[in-house]
Amino acid sequence: MQFLGRSLVILAAALIVVGITVAVSRPGLATRGNADFQQRGEFVQPPGREAAAESAAVPGGRQAERAGPHSGAHGRHAGSAGLFGLGEVLKSLVVVGLIVAAVVQGPRLEHWLRRNRNVPPQRPPADPIESV
Amino acid sequence: MQPARKQRNQNKLNLAVDSAIFVAFLVIMAPHFSGIAIHEWLSIAFGAAIVAHLLLHWQWLVGVTGRFSSKIPQSARINYLLNALLFIDITIVIFSGVLISESALPVFGIPFTPNGIWRMLHALSANLSLLLVGLHIALHWQWIVNVASRSVSIARLGHRRASQFTAAHMEKEV
């Protein structure tokens, strides 16, 4: 019961976020956004694709059957699985790793740099000719 | 059960759940790798996993929310704000993803209507989530290292004790 109540609180918070998002993305803005994206060449669907999407908008959707791993009108989702897909996973892992390394090692690096800056520069050894 | 042991088990559970969530996140972030259907269904399951993650950390959530305006460490405040941002971002990613869904939504009988703003929002919030998840992990890195190393050392100790016990038992038998 306690878990159910807490889950409902979390879902309510998510619902608030969704409500605000829907309110902010007005229909006019949505149309403009679509046009902008198509102008930039992103997410452009092939002519048959849109018609297929419309025809598949039937309850129970045959589109679900059609939407295999190789399909997708998401633009960046289009393409084939395989090495490139594995590359995407590695790319995300590297990005997260770099952020973690920067945040975790950042203060240590700063400390090291500060410590090195505070050390007075060593005097070069005296010129033996001049000292004579 | 002893409180220390209970806490250790709780930490282990948290680490296991968090690791699973992170692996799921990496797979979700690579739709080419998983395919669009798995991408969509896994994202919906990811939403449920996030709820589970929040439930596991409920005490911390309630504690910091109640004392946010009063004296709490600055790091906890930053952590809380980052987590709030991450929650908002993940909610937007999942919601916009559901709206542009090609595989999951038609199963529920909801038609697929292509819309530029939701696609744009989905892409932007997904990219932002990568940054926020990185920061989230970075802020908990010390905890992750501590729990993982403790689990490994306990497992090693258990293994050593078991092998010692087996050796002693075999000697007795001989």
Side-chain angles (χ1 to χ4, degrees):
Chain A
M1 198 64 195
Q2 203 181 22
F3 274 104
L4 191 70
R6 289 173 181 179
S7 304
L8 284 175
V9 170
I10 294 165
L11 290 178
L15 210 63
I16 290 169
V17 174
V18 166
I20 292 169
T21 311
V22 171
V24 167
S25 56
R26 294 183 304 270
L29 194 65
T31 324
R32 208 176 64 199
N34 199 6
D36 285 353
F37 254 59
Q38 291 201 347
Q39 267 178 1
R40 278 194 283 159
E42 291 180 51
F43 303 124
V44 178
Q45 298 179 352
R49 181 81 198 169
E50 233 167 283
E54 279 166 22
S55 65
V58 181
R62 286 166 64 194
Q63 195 189 355
E65 294 165 21
R66 236 179 288 152
H70 303 292
S71 71
H74 285 57
R76 70 185 194 118
H77 293 180
S80 61
L83 272 180
F84 181 64
L86 198 64
E88 265 190 335
V89 176
L90 289 176
K91 194 176 75 181
S92 302
L93 196 62
V94 167
V95 170
V96 171
L98 284 175
I99 293 167
V100 171
V103 173
V104 173
Q105 298 296 330
R108 283 186 201 170
L109 189 71
E110 193 188 340
H111 178 74
W112 182 80
L113 284 172
R114 201 174 291 168
R115 201 180 59 188
N116 276 14
R117 233 178 272 158
N118 288 347
V119 173
Q122 286 184 342
R123 286 177 64 187
D127 193 344
I129 298 168
E130 276 182 20
S131 61
V132 170
Chain B
M1 198 186 280
Q2 291 170 344
R5 197 172 173 186
K6 196 179 172 186
Q7 181 62 42
R8 214 183 300 145
N9 285 345
Q10 182 67 39
N11 281 341
K12 263 192 200 175
L13 175 72
N14 285 347
L15 187 65
V17 171
D18 296 352
S19 304
I21 289 175
F22 181 61
V23 171
F25 175 76
L26 288 179
V27 174
I28 288 167
M29 286 301 285
H32 284 119
F33 178 67
S34 59
I36 198 75
I38 292 175
H39 170 77
E40 290 179 9
W41 285 109
L42 194 61
S43 301
I44 292 169
F46 185 77
I50 293 295
V51 173
H53 178 78
L54 291 174
L55 288 173
L56 282 172
H57 298 278
W58 190 260
Q59 297 303 329
W60 180 87
L61 202 63
V62 171
V64 178
T65 306
R67 289 181 291 135
F68 190 77
S69 51
S70 62
K71 266 193 174 180
I72 54 165
Q74 196 64 21
S75 59
R77 198 167 282 150
I78 290 169
N79 201 1
Y80 185 85
L81 288 175
L82 182 76
N83 289 344
L85 210 60
L86 188 58
F87 177 76
I88 292 168
D89 187 62
I90 293 289
T91 306
I92 292 172
V93 174
I94 293 174
F95 179 66
S96 58
V98 164
L99 286 183
I100 61 168
S101 160
E102 295 169 24
S103 173
L105 218 56
V107 170
F108 297 111
I110 304 166
F112 163 68
T113 45
N115 189 330
I117 189 81
W118 294 116
R119 287 183 194 289
M120 187 174 69
L121 207 59
H122 188 65
L124 288 176
S125 52
N127 289 338
L128 182 65
S129 74
L130 196 60
L131 173 75
L132 292 173
V133 165
L135 289 173
H136 184 73
I137 293 172
L139 286 180
H140 295 87
W141 187 246
Q142 205 52 54
W143 177 84
I144 293 168
V145 170
N146 285 345
V147 175
S149 59
R150 211 172 294 160
S151 300
V152 168
S153 63
I154 286 169
R156 270 189 198 160
L157 194 69
H159 183 71
R160 202 180 299 160
R161 275 185 189 164
S163 57
Q164 279 171 356
F165 176 78
T166 314
H169 196 71
M170 282 172 78
E171 272 176 20
K172 263 186 193 175
E173 278 185 349
V174 170

